Amino acid sequence: MSSYKFLPVLVALLVLSACGFRPLYGRDNGDAILEFSRIKVEPIPDRIGQILHNNLLTALNPKGLAGKPIYVLNTNLTHGSASLAVRKSTFATRANLSVKATFWLTRVQDGKVLYSGQSDITVSYNILDSEFGTIAAQKNARSRALRELSHGIRTQLGVYFSRFKAQGN
């Protein structure tokens, strides 16, 4: 009876191995991580852009650039907030912060755009009676959003580099 419990897991593993699945950042696929260390992240305007820039540096190059950069990552950032829940007294109690990053990866050698994409996220925060509490909640929401955006950009670039290397380019 207990051997039947492992049958679905075994079937799933066989299906995954047959389809060519491999982890994006696994040992056998260090190409993406190596390419990340060759990306120069261009500055992004405004304070929210500076925070995203720093998150991208941490996500892509935690040990710093590996020599002269081969790629340049440019990013445009847009953001806004909207009130959601409203009390009977017409005061908002919840808000959404939406942040969208459009980015493109260019090769330094010839300026050719190799990959472009976008990543967007919406996070919520409470609007409190205390102004300080609301500012702290908004700051925390912005921090979460920008961290997730940087991870989304890193994932998209990782997929690009994995496909790029798999094609032998």
Side-chain angles (χ1 to χ4, degrees), residues 41-148:
V41 181
E42 286 292 320
I44 306 167
D46 299 326
R47 177 66 184 144
I48 195 167
Q50 292 173 351
I51 296 169
L52 178 61
H53 175 265
N54 292 340
N55 286 339
L56 284 169
L57 286 176
T58 302
L60 296 173
N61 306 317
K63 296 180 181 177
L65 284 174
K68 190 174 180 181
I70 297 174
Y71 311 103
V72 175
L73 180 67
N74 291 290
T75 309
N76 281 338
L77 195 61
T78 57
H79 59 91
S81 63
S83 298
L84 286 184
V86 179
R87 290 185 194 161
K88 288 182 182 179
S89 62
T90 69
F91 289 111
T93 58
R94 192 115 172 112
N96 275 350
L97 174 66
S98 298
V99 185
K100 179 179 178 181
T102 305
F103 61 94
W104 58 98
L105 184 73
T106 57
R107 190 170 36 217
V108 172
Q109 181 182 14
D110 56 5
K112 180 182 177 188
V113 175
L114 301 174
Y115 181 78
S116 63
Q118 69 180 30
S119 184
D120 56 355
I121 189 167
T122 301
V123 293
S124 296
Y125 62 95
N126 289 329
I127 299 174
L128 306 168
D129 292 333
S130 163
E131 186 176 345
F132 175 77
T134 301
I135 291 171
Q138 187 177 27
K139 185 177 177 181
N140 179 274
R142 183 178 61 208
S143 175
R144 285 183 288 130
L146 295 173
R147 186 175 51 250
E148 289 302 316

